[in-house]
Amino acid sequence: MKPNPNVLAFLKSLFFTYILTGILLFVLAFLFYKMKMPQSQLRIGIYAIYIISCLTGGFIIGKTMQHRKFLWGMAFGILYFLILMLLSFIIQKEIVQGIASSILIMAICAVCGMVGGMIS
């Protein structure tokens, strides 16, 4: 049985995007450590990482899929968010974010994935 090319494209773009997210989180942690930045600015950096990662993932999936790129990008952003929340729940055994914050993060991921798909 041959795997679906759309599923493979999603998996490849998710894999690449989570590698990018890890690298960016490492850079953010390093910057906060070296520059002794206040903890209050950490959320801004994390949101910026969500934006960069979902834009990149939406762009990659949009390049792979030739039709309805914005929908594929939005689907990518939502899937990125869901996997991120699932991993967070598995690691911490509880939902750390509130509902309002989670909805905001999901909207950011979905919109950035959609924009990434549109510009691809």
Side-chain angles (χ1 to χ4, degrees), residues 25 28 32 37-51 96-98 100-102 104-105 108:
L25 284 171
L28 181 67
F32 268 80
M37 297 172 81
Q39 195 86 19
S40 61
Q41 293 180 344
L42 184 61
R43 180 168 289 182
I44 295 169
I46 291 174
Y47 283 171
I49 290 171
Y50 291 152
I51 291 168
V96 177
Q97 303 284 339
S101 180
S102 294
L104 175 65
I105 294 168
I108 288 171

Side-chain angles (χ1 to χ4, degrees), residues 33 80 83 92 99:
Y33 175 73
Y80 175 89
I83 292 172
Q92 298 182 357
I99 295 294

